[in-house]
Amino acid sequence: MANPLTPDVLLDPVVLTRALVDIESVSRDEKVIADCVEDVLRRADHLSVRRLGNTVMARTKLGHAQRVILAGHLDTVPVNDNLPSTVVDDLIYGCGTSDMKSGVALALHLAVTLPDPRYDLTYLFYEAEEIESEFNGLNLVAQSHPKWLQADFAVLLEPTYGLVEAGCQGTMRVRIRTAGRRAHTARAWRGVNAIHAMGEVLRRLEDYHPRTVTIDGCTYREGLSAVRIDGGIAGNVVPDECSIDVNLRFAPDRSEKQALEHLQEIFHGYELEVTDSAPGALPGLSAAPAREFLAAIGLEPAGKLGWTDVARFAALGIPALNYGPGDPALAHAPDEHVEIGKIRDGSATLYRWLAP
Amino acid sequence: MANPLTPDVLLDPVVLTRALVDIESVSRDEKVIADCVEDVLRRADHLSVRRLGNTVMARTKLGHAQRVILAGHLDTVPVNDNLPSTVVDDLIYGCGTSDMKSGVALALHLAVTLPDPRYDLTYLFYEAEEIESEFNGLNLVAQSHPKWLQADFAVLLEPTYGLVEAGCQGTMRVRIRTAGRRAHTARAWRGVNAIHAMGEVLRRLEDYHPRTVTIDGCTYREGLSAVRIDGGIAGNVVPDECSIDVNLRFAPDRSEKQALEHLQEIFHGYELEVTDSAPGALPGLSAAPAREFLAAIGLEPAGKLGWTDVARFAALGIPALNYGPGDPALAHAPDEHVEIGKIRDGSATLYRWLAP
């Protein structure tokens, strides 16, 4: 197959977005798009290129004091009758338009058209972000080639609708069980009802007042939510077990350990089983490239509420933020689309920041 | 097949219990046992016999002022490696020994050996008590041959371990749903958590103080139990629906309508969906044959806590009680058994009451 990412296509981030979208690349099926991207990068003399699986890394070696990573994942969620892309007025429709091939297009366009950026740049186009962590290209690089990720600052081109979302909240899920004693409901007093016993847990959930925390000008609003409850044996049996799953979203000033301690305090007297946990990421906007990025874009940053791969950079000690043209509300939707104006704005902003 | 219920077997209620147990008769497979029972009854000149499906009715027509029903179901729960019967010391083991072929044996023994009882007697040996109500022989007779059930008093020979259990509690199950609004747990404040909203329902369950009611010397202890709770969509979604099933066991001084009103009062502000309901039965121990039965047995009656077919008699205006040699705790158990002494005691008691 001829590489659809021709020099002409690469010159226009809008055209490039469509071309990338039209290379189908559902998670675990990124070989074709990774081949095309690698081929393009290898033609650029100012870049040195490496590959791991279907993750492609390219970087300048200009000897600048500061290095910045621009990163985007190549995979998409499963196609949902929304390929190839279509254009209606100012909108490009199709799987991956928002999440996040428009962001990938900004980075790839920069990679081939900006040979002399004001910082050294590392471009990371990685696989399998939409699925289990064990397949995540960024995760795999961190494990086997951590030097590829050495930098002072990172921008992840995830959809933010042109806003700056810095850091991210952590998430922890715990399971709480109540125990009782079975009995026939005709002799309910001989039993202990484990569902009734869950009333106290629900009371603590209702009484909980989540914090709102501001860090580096970014606001993080915490939350504590029951996400599942389950109990009962039969219509005439006092149940002896009930369980509930609770999800804490916590601001990045708490570590995972501190988040668990907080949950243990809320649910004092109950045993907590942690079923899922991921750390938050501090916004880390004090590094020079971060401050210069914010100056270039001219917008106040906001705290990212969901969890994204910026937390992986944070875990490596690299301040990171999300900035991309897509609308996060459209990610994974069948009518996923991106505004052409947002792509042009994003491209102009990155040039303003990175051009010499 | 020769009828195993020979004249010799019929003379001894213990031997008869074993013979009945050894005729396998799981619900919906009662033809053989009903044939054997009908055959035996038709040989007794003092009885007139009728049949409906696998339900056999036999009655005396002596012109007494009072008529008493003795009733027992012929079916059992599925055999559980516990047939044919075995005898160990004073115990007969096997499917149906307790529930309720030992009770059936008492009635069948009486039917063929007591031609001149002091009341007119109606014997009912009926099918399909252990399964859905639509198959229940007593229910079918009530619908199509209500005259067979005309009587002043009924004894149901269900297992009570030789005690008298009068009337029975009613049961009602209702479903309560809480509604909310879905949201990502990272933005929990945009949603309304339906599981949290169930806290108030659990609080009312915890705060509920069930009544204990005494009627005709029988004590009924009510109970209100959550028997199922279910809610949750995904680990990162504020759920918009949660539902709970609650079972009220109510004393027979409440009708079903009053039981529902009581539940509506407890759960004021919530919509209740009735998913199951069966009325209780008043003990009704003031009828002459009932008083004479209690005098013959010399025991105080107790309230029946579970639901039994006595409620069907009560619905027809016939006072009824449970009295049988089996142990109710062993009903449906793989090691189901009956004490031979309890069979002999029960037989002697019924003779004392019914002999001229």
Side-chain angles (χ1 to χ4, degrees):
Chain A
M1 183 185 85
N3 191 337
L5 310 180
T6 61
D8 280 356
V9 166
L10 288 160
L11 282 181
D12 184 337
V14 174
V15 176
L16 180 54
T17 295
R18 282 201 71 177
L20 287 166
V21 169
D22 289 338
I23 305 173
E24 187 174 318
S25 58
V26 177
S27 307
R28 307 289 282 151
D29 193 17
E30 302 98 334
K31 182 177 186 308
V32 172
I33 197 168
D35 286 349
C36 293
V37 167
E38 181 183 1
D39 173 55
V40 159
L41 294 167
R42 288 202 185 276
R43 288 166 201 253
D45 293 338
H46 61 285
L47 296 173
S48 85
V49 179
R50 304 284 299 277
R51 179 157 171 166
L52 175 71
N54 290 322
T55 294
V56 186
M57 186 275 284
R59 60 187 161 192
T60 61
K61 293 194 171 168
L62 304 169
H64 287 303
Q66 304 270 355
R67 176 172 291 278
V68 167
I69 293 174
L70 297 179
H73 61 83
L74 295 172
D75 63 321
T76 69
V77 294
V79 179
N80 192 348
D81 245 346
N82 51 2
L83 278 189
S85 64
T86 53
V87 173
V88 179
D89 299 328
D90 184 42
L91 307 176
I92 307 174
Y93 281 85
C95 184
T97 45
S98 166
D99 185 12
M100 58 177 286
K101 286 180 175 172
S102 52
V104 168
L106 296 192
L108 191 57
H109 170 70
L110 271 174
V112 296
T113 60
L114 187 67
D116 54 349
R118 58 191 296 209
Y119 317 110
D120 267 308
L121 290 179
T122 300
Y123 299 94
L124 262 168
F125 301 100
Y126 64 100
E127 63 185 326
E129 189 270 350
E130 298 288 4
I131 57 170
E132 296 81 350
S133 196
E134 63 184 301
F135 302 113
N136 183 298
L138 196 54
N139 191 27
L140 297 176
V141 167
Q143 284 170 25
S144 64
H145 296 75
K147 286 193 176 172
W148 295 6
L149 300 179
Q150 281 177 354
D152 301 285
F153 179 54
V155 173
L156 201 57
L157 293 141
E158 287 276 6
T160 65
Y161 202 57
L163 304 176
V164 177
E165 296 182 341
C168 76
Q169 302 220 83
T171 178
M172 180 169 286
R173 256 180 293 277
V174 293
R175 183 161 297 169
I176 303 173
R177 293 173 211 272
T178 49
R181 192 170 61 243
R182 283 194 202 193
H184 196 290
T185 53
R187 299 172 198 86
W189 65 90
R190 291 193 193 160
V192 176
N193 195 310
I195 295 177
H196 297 194
M198 200 56 92
E200 174 61 21
V201 172
L202 295 188
R203 186 152 33 247
R204 295 192 198 177
L205 282 165
E206 286 176 286
D207 291 348
Y208 183 75
H209 293 288
R211 290 188 314 160
T212 296
V213 182
T214 301
I215 305 166
D216 282 359
C218 299
T219 297
Y220 299 92
R221 193 163 166 180
E222 297 189 325
L224 184 65
S225 306
V227 292
R228 189 193 58 79
I229 190 166
D230 186 34
I233 292 158
N236 59 357
V237 177
V238 173
D240 60 352
E241 194 180 309
C242 184
S243 76
I244 191 167
D245 288 345
V246 173
N247 184 206
L248 173 69
R249 297 288 174 143
F250 55 96
D253 63 335
R254 298 193 205 263
S255 66
E256 287 174 278
K257 181 167 171 291
Q258 288 167 329
L260 179 57
E261 285 165 0
H262 181 56
L263 285 167
Q264 284 167 333
E265 195 178 304
I266 299 167
F267 298 111
H268 181 73
Y270 295 89
E271 201 168 318
L272 307 188
E273 180 196 346
V274 177
T275 56
D276 186 43
S277 178
L282 285 163
L285 299 176
S286 52
R291 280 186 280 110
E292 286 156 17
F293 173 80
L294 292 174
I297 192 170
L299 283 175
E300 287 299 305
K304 182 77 179 173
L305 296 166
W307 197 92
T308 79
D309 272 344
V310 301
R312 296 189 200 277
F313 288 109
L316 297 167
I318 306 167
L321 52 74
N322 291 289
Y323 172 73
D327 179 346
L330 296 172
H332 307 188
D335 66 338
E336 181 175 354
H337 57 264
V338 64
E339 296 177 21
I340 287 172
K342 290 284 178 195
I343 301 174
R344 299 226 181 274
D345 287 351
S347 187
T349 300
L350 291 178
Y351 263 89
R352 197 156 61 237
W353 173 42
L354 296 171
Chain B
M1 184 186 84
N3 191 336
L5 309 181
T6 62
D8 281 356
V9 166
L10 288 160
L11 282 181
D12 184 336
V14 174
V15 177
L16 180 54
T17 296
R18 282 200 70 178
L20 287 165
V21 168
D22 289 339
I23 305 172
E24 188 175 317
S25 58
V26 177
S27 307
R28 309 288 283 151
D29 194 18
E30 302 99 332
K31 183 177 183 310
V32 171
I33 198 167
D35 287 350
C36 292
V37 167
E38 181 184 1
D39 174 55
V40 158
L41 294 169
R42 287 201 184 276
R43 288 166 200 254
D45 293 336
H46 61 286
L47 297 173
S48 85
V49 179
R50 304 285 299 275
R51 178 158 172 166
L52 175 71
N54 290 322
T55 294
V56 185
M57 184 277 284
R59 62 187 160 190
T60 61
K61 291 191 173 170
L62 303 170
H64 286 303
Q66 304 269 355
R67 178 172 290 279
V68 168
I69 293 173
L70 297 178
H73 60 83
L74 294 172
D75 63 320
T76 69
V77 295
V79 179
N80 193 347
D81 245 346
N82 51 2
L83 278 189
S85 64
T86 53
V87 173
V88 179
D89 300 328
D90 184 41
L91 306 176
I92 307 174
Y93 281 84
C95 184
T97 45
S98 166
D99 185 12
M100 57 178 283
K101 286 181 175 173
S102 52
V104 168
L106 295 193
L108 191 58
H109 170 70
L110 271 175
V112 297
T113 60
L114 187 66
D116 53 349
R118 59 189 298 208
Y119 316 110
D120 268 307
L121 292 178
T122 299
Y123 299 95
L124 264 167
F125 301 100
Y126 63 100
E127 63 185 325
E129 189 269 350
E130 298 289 4
I131 56 171
E132 295 82 350
S133 196
E134 63 183 301
F135 301 113
N136 184 297
L138 196 54
N139 190 27
L140 297 176
V141 167
Q143 286 170 23
S144 63
H145 297 75
K147 287 194 177 171
W148 296 7
L149 300 178
Q150 282 178 354
D152 301 285
F153 179 54
V155 174
L156 202 57
L157 292 142
E158 287 276 6
T160 64
Y161 202 56
L163 303 177
V164 177
E165 296 183 341
C168 77
Q169 303 221 82
T171 178
M172 180 171 284
R173 257 181 291 277
V174 294
R175 183 161 296 167
I176 303 172
R177 295 173 210 273
T178 50
R181 193 169 59 243
R182 282 195 203 193
H184 196 291
T185 53
R187 298 172 198 87
W189 66 91
R190 292 192 192 162
V192 176
N193 195 310
I195 295 177
H196 298 194
M198 199 56 89
E200 174 60 21
V201 173
L202 295 188
R203 183 151 36 245
R204 296 192 197 177
L205 281 166
E206 286 176 286
D207 291 348
Y208 182 75
H209 292 288
R211 289 188 315 160
T212 296
V213 181
T214 301
I215 306 166
D216 283 358
C218 299
T219 298
Y220 299 93
R221 193 164 166 178
E222 298 189 324
L224 184 66
S225 306
V227 292
R228 189 194 58 79
I229 190 167
D230 186 35
I233 292 158
N236 59 357
V237 177
V238 174
D240 59 352
E241 193 179 310
C242 184
S243 77
I244 190 167
D245 287 344
V246 173
N247 183 205
L248 173 69
R249 298 288 174 145
F250 55 96
D253 62 335
R254 297 192 206 264
S255 66
E256 287 174 279
K257 181 166 171 290
Q258 289 168 330
L260 180 57
E261 285 163 3
H262 182 56
L263 285 167
Q264 283 167 333
E265 194 179 304
I266 299 167
F267 298 111
H268 181 74
Y270 295 89
E271 200 169 318
L272 307 188
E273 179 196 347
V274 177
T275 57
D276 186 43
S277 178
L282 286 163
L285 298 175
S286 53
R291 280 187 279 112
E292 286 156 17
F293 173 79
L294 293 173
I297 192 170
L299 285 174
E300 288 298 305
K304 182 75 178 177
L305 297 165
W307 197 91
T308 79
D309 273 343
V310 300
R312 295 189 200 276
F313 287 108
L316 296 167
I318 306 167
L321 51 74
N322 292 289
Y323 172 73
D327 180 346
L330 296 171
H332 307 187
D335 66 338
E336 181 176 354
H337 57 264
V338 64
E339 295 177 21
I340 287 172
K342 290 284 177 194
I343 300 174
R344 299 223 180 276
D345 287 349
S347 187
T349 299
L350 292 178
Y351 261 89
R352 196 157 60 238
W353 172 43
L354 295 171

